[in-house]
Amino acid sequence: MLKALIFDVDGTLAETEDLHRQGFNRAFEALGLPWHWSPELYAELLKVMGGKERLVHYIERFHPEEVDGLKRRMPEIHDLKTRFYGELAESGGLALRPGVRRLVEQARKQGVRLAVATTTSRPNIDLLLRLNFPDGAQPFDVIAAGDEAAQKKPAPDIFALAVHRLGIDPSEAIAFEDSAAGIRSALAAGLPVLATRSRYTKSHRLDGAFSAVSDLGEPDAPHSHLQGHVWPDGVVTLEALRDWHAGHLRGAA
């Protein structure tokens, strides 16, 4: 029985990554750092999971002679980036991806629990949910975020934490991801994965996902099928997920 849907955030619930990139660039400028992360560079940096970890990687790779001094400034840089990210999001740049609200509402109405498993920080998640569910009806039963897990994706820790908090077996849930590292993380936690390719993961291999699509689709705007399981009419619905899940369990028996 399908009991839960577990979502990544950045690139999966919403196309947040370019707002993070812009937030970093605004922080660099405000602090007098002569750095600029282009979309192309940021796509490479996204192979490192977690904003703080990404910043460390950038410093070590591009400014090795200043590592010690720059690492001491990391909290200041990241905190300022988070503030600028919030300002950009508040200005209207943080809408849910196609099909997300529809599927979330279907799950809530039919008693399927919802969770978040992400490397992003809790304030960013709270902001996303507040902007998209302004009536206060935040739909997620469990949020596993940021530094709550010992290891970032592709380690399974954050998905395993979400499963634990839901009180279910991994076989009773489906994970939604947009990146290669996220897919590996969910699979390592024992979860089947549906992948939706995002702006910054166009070059990622989506190996391991039982289905990969451009997005979850809407009745008047079906998604593009990329690989694996094909969804009726180009739309991922709760009914179709339940049908796939039941067949998956029968095949594994």
Side-chain angles (χ1 to χ4, degrees), residues 81-127:
K81 170 260 174 183
T82 299
R83 193 188 89 192
F84 284 130
Y85 171 84
E87 292 175 1
L88 288 164
E90 293 276 9
S91 68
L94 205 56
L96 297 175
R97 293 192 67 197
V100 169
R101 185 184 305 279
R102 172 186 51 75
L103 183 57
V104 163
E105 289 176 353
Q106 288 174 353
R108 293 298 286 177
K109 288 177 181 177
Q110 298 187 44
V112 175
R113 302 183 73 199
L114 295 161
V116 160
T118 178
T119 57
T120 200
S121 62
R122 182 60 187 260
N124 291 338
I125 302 166
D126 292 341
L127 177 63

Side-chain angles (χ1 to χ4, degrees), residues 130-145:
R130 176 172 62 79
L131 292 176
N132 285 284
F133 300 95
D135 58 358
Q138 192 275 99
F140 290 90
D141 302 286
V142 164
I143 294 178

Side-chain angles (χ1 to χ4, degrees), residues 10-177:
D10 294 320
T12 302
L13 285 182
E15 286 278 14
T16 58
E17 292 295 5
D18 205 59
L19 294 188
H20 285 296
R21 182 186 70 86
Q22 294 175 50
F24 272 116
N25 284 336
R26 291 190 181 191
F28 300 154
E29 182 178 4
L31 296 172
L33 294 166
W35 306 344
H36 180 82
W37 288 0
S38 67
E40 295 74 21
L41 173 58
Y42 196 62
E44 286 298 312
L45 294 175
L46 281 174
K47 293 177 181 178
V48 178
M49 303 302 289
K52 295 173 185 176
E53 291 77 8
R54 202 166 296 137
L55 187 56
V56 170
H57 171 76
Y58 173 79
I59 290 170
E60 291 176 342
R61 179 177 174 185
F62 293 98
H63 302 280
E65 71 287 351
E66 304 175 75
V67 165
D68 292 340
L70 290 172
K71 281 187 176 180
R72 285 194 292 271
R73 298 189 67 184
M74 268 191 49
E76 177 187 23
I77 298 169
H78 196 267
D79 287 350
L80 191 56
K81 170 260 174 183
T82 299
R83 193 188 89 192
F84 284 130
Y85 171 84
E87 292 175 1
L88 288 164
E90 293 276 9
S91 68
L94 205 56
L96 297 175
R97 293 192 67 197
V100 169
R101 185 184 305 279
R102 172 186 51 75
L103 183 57
V104 163
E105 289 176 353
Q106 288 174 353
R108 293 298 286 177
K109 288 177 181 177
Q110 298 187 44
V112 175
R113 302 183 73 199
L114 295 161
V116 160
T118 178
T119 57
T120 200
S121 62
R122 182 60 187 260
N124 291 338
I125 302 166
D126 292 341
L127 177 63
L128 172 67
L129 297 179
R130 176 172 62 79
L131 292 176
N132 285 284
F133 300 95
D135 58 358
Q138 192 275 99
F140 290 90
D141 302 286
V142 164
I143 294 178
D147 298 327
E148 291 188 284
Q151 298 183 78
K152 303 287 187 184
K153 300 173 185 179
D157 301 38
I158 199 69
F159 276 107
L161 179 60
V163 167
H164 173 74
R165 288 179 175 172
L166 286 166
I168 62 172
D169 187 89
S171 66
E172 297 173 316
I174 292 174
F176 295 77
E177 266 288 354

Side-chain angles (χ1 to χ4, degrees), residues 11-12 97 176-178 194-198 201 212-216:
T12 302
R97 293 192 67 197
F176 295 77
E177 266 288 354
D178 74 305
L194 193 162
T196 58
R197 194 185 292 284
S198 65
T201 60
V213 291
S214 59
D215 52 67
L216 297 177

